[in-house]
Amino acid sequence: MHFTINGERHEADPDIRTSLLDLLRHHLGLTGTKKGCDHGQCGACTVIVNGRRINACLTLAVMHQDDEIVTIEGLADGDTLHPMQAAFVKHDGFQCGYCTPGQICSAVAMLEEVKQGWASHVSASLDDITLDEAEISERMSGNLCRCSAYPNIVDAISEVAGA
């Protein structure tokens, strides 16, 4: 089977029951995406598939053969960090760092959702979405941080959203 991950074509022959997360980590050696709960509740395994954020632990790899998959390894451009990665470093948006790859992938995709006009549960308007603390917190609620770096994560996302 062929997979396009971070702009590169990869071949793998996973069992049909293999999750996208296990394909990335165990078959392709892309260990940036973390396995947290393995039940879709923590967001540590968040990757971007065709521009949308998903929990890689909840989807089968074989379902994504023709998709564009982006992991944390694919966001940077060589040694140049993605703006969201740089903002997380600047604002100390991580502590132990375990959830950070999923947080960053989720934040990058979330900003694209806002650009496309997708409202959230707390959006005050469907026409003009303001990324204030409540809006960012609601949109990132699927990504848990056990170290509680949430204020710094919101600051990092706010900086990139304002850029």
Side-chain angles (χ1 to χ4, degrees):
M1 291 181 229
H2 302 280
F3 298 91
T4 304
I5 302 167
N6 301 326
E8 296 180 17
R9 188 173 166 103
H10 294 269
E11 287 191 35
D13 191 23
D15 180 280
I16 61 168
R17 299 166 293 180
T18 301
S19 69
L20 179 57
L21 174 61
D22 287 337
L23 172 82
L24 294 170
R25 291 185 58 80
H26 302 296
H27 293 261
L28 301 176
L30 296 169
T31 57
T33 306
K34 303 301 183 209
K35 183 178 278 197
C37 66
D38 212 20
H39 294 285
Q41 297 174 346
C42 72
C45 66
T46 304
V47 296
I48 304 168
V49 177
N50 296 332
R52 296 190 67 183
R53 54 190 165 155
I54 67 167
N55 291 334
C57 72
L58 292 181
T59 188
L60 297 174
V62 296
M63 297 170 59
H64 299 286
Q65 292 181 70
D66 297 322
D67 295 338
E68 292 289 330
I69 302 164
V70 178
T71 68
I72 191 70
E73 292 95 341
L75 290 178
D77 183 13
D79 289 337
T80 304
L81 295 177
H82 182 281
M84 189 65 71
Q85 292 170 312
F88 265 65
V89 171
K90 176 181 175 184
H91 292 279
D92 196 24
F94 55 89
Q95 288 181 19
C96 79
Y98 198 83
C99 72
T100 306
Q103 294 274 1
I104 291 173
C105 284
S106 187
V108 167
M110 180 265 293
L111 291 180
E112 287 302 314
E113 293 168 6
V114 172
K115 284 181 187 175
Q116 294 176 20
W118 296 7
S120 79
H121 178 69
V122 299
S123 297
S125 168
L126 297 178
D127 298 323
D128 184 30
I129 299 170
T130 303
L131 275 177
D132 57 14
E133 183 178 346
E135 187 76 31
I136 292 170
S137 296
E138 170 66 21
R139 289 174 181 270
M140 293 296 293
S141 64
N143 292 84
L144 303 179
C145 173
R146 288 175 174 83
C147 300
S148 297
Y150 296 117
N152 301 353
I153 292 168
V154 170
D155 289 346
I157 295 169
S158 295
E159 178 179 302
V160 176

